């Protein structure tokens, strides 16, 4: 329980104390937007690493060399924990925005930082607004910013972590319309950090594997039509493969 309290204090304290930094970053962004983006990215990455250290999370990373360094990508991951965002965001080398649920936009300061980091808010109940979010993500990719999404649409609470929820196919238009590579991310044991024994945060070992990038143009027609299923299968098999490592 002490770890949970320390993490809450850290997050709340950062959000309050970072108000002047938000203002400074806004000013920097008026003259050097990319410099602002990078400084915001590194600052939040540092915060997330600190939180993971408090949580006592030991991380094994596999296949990080698979992530293309010279182009924005669409990261696709399985989702079982709030900590999935921290675990993956600390590994991002270039500017990366996450697609989050619309409800996150209501939280002041937190939503400000998310917008600084090019995060987009998806209204899962409004198809029209959801399409606008996907179109905005396409523009982000075209401007050099990677996008990360968890296409299960919510945290997967199945007892067996390899039993993934269906992937929403609409998310994959980001790749099919831009030609950017899809990088599947398979994460094992992340629910053991927090969700498996809420409200306690416990030390544990997680495995993250970055699978070989998928290029839509290289796939056959059937795979192109069902990118969600194709990518889901890759992640599912990788999770099964790595279960013995945790």
């Amino acid at each position: 329980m002490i770890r949970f309290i320390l993490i809450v204090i850290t997050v709340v304290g950062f959000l309050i104390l970072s108000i002047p930094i938000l203002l400074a970053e806004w000013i920097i962004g008026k003259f050097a937007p990319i410099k602002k983006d990078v400084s915001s990215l590194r600052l939040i990455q540092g915060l997330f690493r600190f939180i993971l250290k408090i949580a006592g999370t030991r991380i094994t990373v596999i296949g990080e060399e698979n992530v293309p360094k010279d182009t924005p990508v669409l990261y696709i991951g399985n989702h079982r924990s709030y900590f999935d965002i921290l675990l993956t965001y600390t590994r991002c080398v270039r500017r990366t925005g996450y697609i989050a649920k619309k409800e996150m936009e209501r939280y002041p300061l937190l939503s400000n930082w998310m917008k600084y980091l090019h995060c987009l808010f998806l209204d899962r109940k409004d198809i029209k607004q959801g399409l606008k979010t996907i179109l905005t993500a396409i523009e982000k990719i075209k401007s050099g910013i990677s996008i990360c999404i968890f296409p299960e649409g919510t945290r997967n609470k199945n007892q067996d972590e390899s039993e993934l929820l269906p992937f929403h196919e609409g998310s994959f238009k980001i790749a099919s319309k831009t030609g950017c590579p899809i990088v599947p991310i398979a994460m094992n044991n992340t629910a053991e950090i927090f969700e498996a024994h809420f409200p306690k945060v416990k030390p544990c070992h997680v495995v993250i594997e970055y699978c070989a990038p998928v290029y839509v143009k290289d796939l056959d027609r059937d795979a192109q039509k069902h990118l969600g299923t194709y990518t889901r299968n890759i992640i599912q098999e990788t999770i099964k493969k790595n279960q013995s490592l945790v």
Side-chain angles (χ1 to χ4, degrees):
M1 193 66 181
I2 293 176
R3 293 177 189 271
F4 175 76
I5 293 171
L6 288 174
I7 289 172
V8 171
I9 291 172
T10 298
V11 172
V12 174
F14 173 82
L15 291 175
I16 294 172
L17 295 175
S18 69
I19 293 175
I21 301 175
L22 276 170
L23 178 59
E25 291 284 79
W26 179 79
I27 294 172
I28 293 171
K30 290 295 183 182
F31 301 97
I34 294 180
K35 184 176 180 180
K36 184 270 292 182
D37 287 351
V38 174
S39 62
S40 294
L41 169 65
R42 302 302 177 220
L43 180 64
I44 299 301
Q45 285 180 323
L47 171 68
F48 285 177
R49 289 191 186 99
F50 183 65
I51 291 172
L52 290 169
K53 191 170 184 179
I54 294 174
T57 307
R58 185 164 63 90
I59 308 166
T60 295
V61 181
I62 302 170
E64 201 162 21
E65 69 279 1
N66 287 325
V67 182
K69 303 297 189 294
D70 57 349
T71 184
V73 305
L74 175 64
Y75 292 107
I76 295 291
N78 60 303
H79 190 30
R80 290 180 64 83
S81 173
Y82 292 117
F83 281 83
D84 294 340
I85 298 166
L86 283 69
L87 290 163
T88 53
Y89 201 64
T90 54
R91 318 295 315 176
C92 294
V93 176
R94 63 187 301 133
R95 295 178 296 161
T96 304
Y98 279 57
I99 295 185
K101 59 185 180 181
K102 181 71 173 178
E103 290 79 1
M104 297 297 294
E105 198 170 15
R106 71 178 67 156
Y107 301 109
L109 298 180
L110 176 61
S111 61
N112 290 97
W113 275 112
M114 291 177 73
K115 290 173 182 175
Y116 272 23
L117 298 168
H118 297 282
C119 292
L120 303 174
F121 301 95
L122 179 65
D123 189 341
R124 294 172 290 184
K125 298 177 182 178
D126 189 325
I127 296 176
K128 187 176 180 180
Q129 290 301 317
L131 178 59
K132 287 180 66 175
T133 301
I134 296 300
L135 292 174
T136 302
I138 289 171
E139 292 305 312
K140 294 283 187 185
I141 290 283
K142 289 179 178 179
S143 67
I145 299 166
S146 293
I147 293 293
C148 181
I149 190 166
F150 302 117
E152 290 173 283
T154 187
R155 284 182 296 113
N156 182 357
K157 300 176 183 178
N158 289 333
Q159 187 171 2
D160 183 352
E161 67 180 357
S162 68
E163 292 182 7
L164 304 183
L165 301 176
F167 280 16
H168 295 287
E169 293 284 346
S171 311
F172 293 85
K173 291 186 183 297
I174 299 169
S176 60
K177 296 296 186 183
T178 63
C180 76
I182 299 169
V183 177
I185 308 175
M187 292 179 279
N188 287 75
N189 213 39
T190 61
E192 287 298 320
I193 302 174
F194 178 58
E195 284 76 9
H197 31 70
F198 174 85
K200 295 181 179 179
V201 173
K202 291 188 175 182
C204 74
H205 177 217
V206 305
V207 176
I208 305 172
E209 179 161 351
Y210 291 85
C211 305
V214 175
Y215 293 88
V216 179
K217 62 181 177 60
D218 294 337
L219 302 177
D220 61 42
R221 184 168 297 181
D222 184 65
Q224 288 185 19
K225 287 176 62 177
H226 302 97
L227 281 170
T229 301
Y230 182 87
T231 308
R232 181 181 182 273
N233 290 339
I234 293 173
I235 293 175
Q236 189 169 50
E237 290 305 310
T238 307
I239 290 171
K240 291 178 180 178
K241 172 180 72 72
N242 291 337
Q243 282 180 327
S244 62
L245 301 179
V246 296

